[in-house]
Amino acid sequence: MSINAEIKVNGKSYELPVVEGTEKEIAIDIGKFRSASGLITLDFGFKNTGSTKSAITFLDGEKGILRYRGYPIDQLAEKSSFLEVAYLLIFGSLPVKDELENFQESIYEHTLVHEDIKKILDGFPSNAHPMGVLSSLICSLTAFYPESLDPSSSWKDVNLSINRIIAKITTFAAWAHKHQQGHPVNYPGKYEDYTADLLHMMFKLPGKEYEVKPVVSRALDQLLILHADHEQNCSTSTVRIVGSSHASMYASVSAGINALWGPLHGGANQAVIEMLEAIKADGGDTDKWMAKAKDKDDPFRLMGFGHRVYKNFDPRANIIKVAADEVLEALGVDDPILEIAKGLEEVALRDDYFVERKLYPNVDFYSGIIYRALGIPTEMFTVMFAIGRLPGWIAQWKEMRENKEPIGRPRQIYIGENERDYVAIDQR
Ligand code: ACO
């Protein structure tokens, strides 16, 4: 069924096509509206603007639904592995046995990085935030693999770049951590398991044994699955828009890492723990901090609460909350911060301010508590998120290039000065 929308401006009507998705979502296509009317649409923060048609991830924020390529997130988190989910997101279907084995093998083959990358790492001060280090090292891959610069040349090269970046991001992440510690780096390859190898590279100390507990690597793998894609969020839109200029995948992902870093996006997982620590140090008075979050004159926000699209519950947060309890119990960790988090959540879910604005705990509210229990330092939380989100960024970048989407270039409404003449410096 083809339907149109009608927009009336100053008595004149314009007919616009309506686009329908496979889940019956509909949108008004305004692509030709400007040429017909001379008007643009204005939407700060793209709160109600679709930027693309995508077949990767479906989410319904009202119903709390999240599916990758049609598969519900809870099924994937329970039954799949991170690399299998990465394959699914990037190539569109669940791999058969051989496909998954070949994919994993290729990832393990590429985890080693060029020794010169250590020189770049050494150039960073030891207090550099690992997110800045990670984005720089990812971007440096453009120099080590110049054939990746023109992704239109060969999809075989693109597939190689995909395997390389998934493989090397764990080495970079672990090295960023080691650099911050002032410790020598560990090389990849001890384990044939993505998260176990990452943990080994992060935590093995010279001359000491380090065994990865299966409960820890499985919990981390599950967290990576939950973060693997989330359709057109801030960092993914960044990746797509940078890639739309035909910049390479490495450059586009590096930009996505920077977008993820901010506390309103992926950086919230670090901010949540810092907030919970501050509340604890302040005596644990959750009512006081709730009042701060509601005070419009106070810039404080309850970190880990609220979401641009989830207005009911974040399905990832529900899975993580259960996982947090299980992991803490399995590891015998008694974290007082978990009690503060649960207390805050309980108060917020009953509070009119939060209820009216549909503010619920998001994925980052409990993820930091699990990361802490797994022994991951706070500054590395957002790095873990970046590793998890990588397959999503790649899938979205690839889809955008395969569909030959045009360069991203929004318009604006100018509100500055009207034309005026230049004034010489001595006459101002
Ligand atoms: N604490 C207190 N008030 C909040 C919060 C919060 N965490 N989040 C939103 N609000 C209030 C706003 O002040 C606003 O109130 P108003 O209508 O009276 O002005 C209203 O709720 C709507 O908030 P917006 O900022 O307009 O919502 P938006 O969709 O632009 O922002 C965001 C969403 C950025 C996630 C926001 O809720 C927030 O800052 N949360 C805290 C940071 C966070 O947890 N980010 C992680 C998100 S998940 C992710 O990116 C992986």
Side-chain angles (χ1 to χ4, degrees), residues 272 275 303-305 341 344-345 361-369:
V272 167
M275 173 188 80
M303 299 313 288
F305 263 77
L344 265 182
E345 182 186 354
N362 59 49
V363 67
D364 284 329
F365 193 63
Y366 284 104
S367 65
I369 291 170

Side-chain angles (χ1 to χ4, degrees), residues 261-288:
W261 191 356
L264 297 190
H265 190 15
N269 55 16
Q270 174 174 343
V272 167
I273 291 296
E274 286 165 354
M275 173 188 80
L276 295 173
E277 292 276 19
I279 297 175
K280 183 170 156 256
D282 191 43
D285 182 355
T286 44
D287 288 345
K288 176 179 159 191

Side-chain angles (χ1 to χ4, degrees), residues 15-264:
E15 257 202 14
L16 300 169
V18 167
V19 179
E20 187 176 329
T22 45
E23 290 288 341
K24 308 282 176 232
E25 293 174 302
I26 56 172
I28 301 171
D29 180 350
I30 53 143
K32 299 206 167 80
F33 184 49
R34 186 171 178 278
S35 55
S37 67
L39 301 168
I40 65 162
T41 55
L42 183 64
D43 180 19
F44 286 98
F46 311 122
K47 288 199 175 195
N48 194 33
T49 296
S51 58
T52 192
K53 288 185 197 169
S54 177
I56 301 169
T57 288
F58 172 70
L59 81 82
D60 181 329
E62 306 300 328
K63 296 190 186 134
I65 294 173
L66 174 62
R67 297 183 203 132
Y68 299 158
R69 302 280 188 188
Y71 298 102
I73 189 63
D74 50 328
Q75 291 184 21
L76 293 171
E78 191 194 330
K79 298 177 182 158
S80 188
S81 70
F82 176 62
L83 286 186
E84 187 181 42
V85 166
Y87 187 100
L88 168 70
L89 285 167
I90 297 167
F91 301 108
S93 53
L94 284 170
V96 297
K97 200 164 171 280
D98 279 1
E99 285 170 331
L100 182 60
E101 278 171 10
N102 291 341
F103 182 59
Q104 285 170 335
E105 217 167 277
S106 172
I107 304 288
Y108 301 137
E109 238 171 59
H110 289 288
T111 43
L112 199 60
V113 302
H114 197 290
E115 276 297 287
D116 283 352
I117 287 187
K118 269 212 252 155
K119 293 183 194 154
I120 304 176
L121 185 70
D122 286 341
F124 283 95
S126 60
N127 62 355
H129 194 287
M131 281 296 275
V133 176
L134 184 69
S135 87
S136 306
L137 296 186
I138 290 287
C139 203
S140 79
L141 289 174
T142 55
F144 291 93
Y145 303 102
E147 69 277 13
S148 71
L149 289 177
D150 179 10
S152 60
S153 61
S154 140
W155 280 102
K156 196 167 155 259
D157 285 348
V158 172
N159 285 343
L160 184 58
S161 299
I162 290 173
N163 293 354
R164 277 196 179 121
I165 195 170
I166 296 175
K168 293 181 197 313
I169 196 170
T170 48
T171 311
F172 291 159
W175 284 14
H177 172 59
K178 284 286 180 193
H179 183 69
Q180 208 174 32
Q181 301 281 299
H183 293 167
V185 299
N186 290 316
Y187 285 87
K190 182 170 191 291
Y191 295 89
E192 287 222 335
D193 173 324
Y194 193 74
T195 44
D197 203 26
L198 166 64
L199 289 162
H200 180 260
M201 284 193 282
M202 275 178 76
F203 296 123
K204 163 96 176 65
L205 292 170
K208 294 199 175 160
E209 277 304 304
Y210 177 79
E211 284 307 320
V212 178
K213 290 189 181 132
V215 61
V216 173
S217 58
R218 175 62 194 144
L220 185 55
D221 200 73
Q222 203 177 35
L223 282 170
L224 299 185
I225 293 173
L226 293 176
H227 285 96
D229 193 49
H230 213 232
E231 51 117 300
Q232 310 311 317
N233 56 82
C234 173
S235 56
T236 302
S237 300
T238 302
V239 169
R240 281 186 92 124
I241 211 158
V242 172
S244 77
S245 74
H246 294 193
S248 78
M249 185 176 65
Y250 298 142
S252 307
V253 167
S254 170
I257 293 172
N258 289 326
L260 186 74
W261 191 356
L264 297 190

Side-chain angles (χ1 to χ4, degrees), residues 47 263-266 268 293-294 296 300-308 311 316 353-354 357 359 362-364 385:
K47 288 199 175 195
L264 297 190
H265 190 15
K294 294 191 283 184
K296 291 288 165 202
F300 174 74
R301 278 188 168 198
L302 203 56
M303 299 313 288
F305 263 77
H307 199 276
R308 171 60 61 78
K311 301 297 175 195
R316 302 165 302 171
Y353 174 100
F354 285 83
R357 288 168 181 76
L359 302 172
N362 59 49
V363 67
D364 284 329
F385 191 156

